[in-house]
Amino acid sequence: MSGNTVSDFDQVSLQKKPFTFMLHNRGTKHESVELCGSFDGWKQKHAMRFDPFTKQWFLTLHLKSGSSYLYKY
């Protein structure tokens, strides 16, 4: 038996990679921005954070690597 045993939990987490969504805040300023998408069945609105230095809204989610998703801000 090999010494590199990986649990089912760890196997799932290894398949996910961080992905950062970014939205430029040009023109009219927004007070808040939320992201929703097919990555969770459109069930949850994820609040994005604003970076005043880059003037961008951003959010990092861990998503399954190699998959395609639809999303809206």
Side-chain angles (χ1 to χ4, degrees):
M1 179 179 255
S2 120
N4 294 333
T5 304
V6 179
S7 72
D8 289 341
F9 176 80
D10 289 335
Q11 245 179 353
V12 170
S13 68
L14 291 173
Q15 295 172 0
K16 293 187 176 187
K17 303 289 181 199
F19 183 83
T20 302
F21 295 86
M22 290 183 282
L23 176 67
H24 296 281
N25 198 37
R26 297 187 181 134
T28 306
K29 303 291 182 198
H30 306 292
E31 290 189 24
S32 66
V33 176
E34 296 175 325
L35 177 84
C36 60
S38 61
F39 41 79
D40 65 2
W42 302 93
K43 293 179 183 177
Q44 185 176 356
K45 292 180 181 178
H46 302 270
M48 299 182 77
R49 294 191 303 176
F50 183 69
D51 179 359
F53 182 73
T54 62
K55 298 186 179 175
Q56 293 186 75
W57 292 90
F58 69 96
L59 173 68
T60 300
L61 297 175
H62 287 79
L63 303 175
K64 187 174 179 181
S65 183
S67 296
S68 296
Y69 301 101
L70 300 173
Y71 61 93
K72 285 184 173 184
Y73 294 106

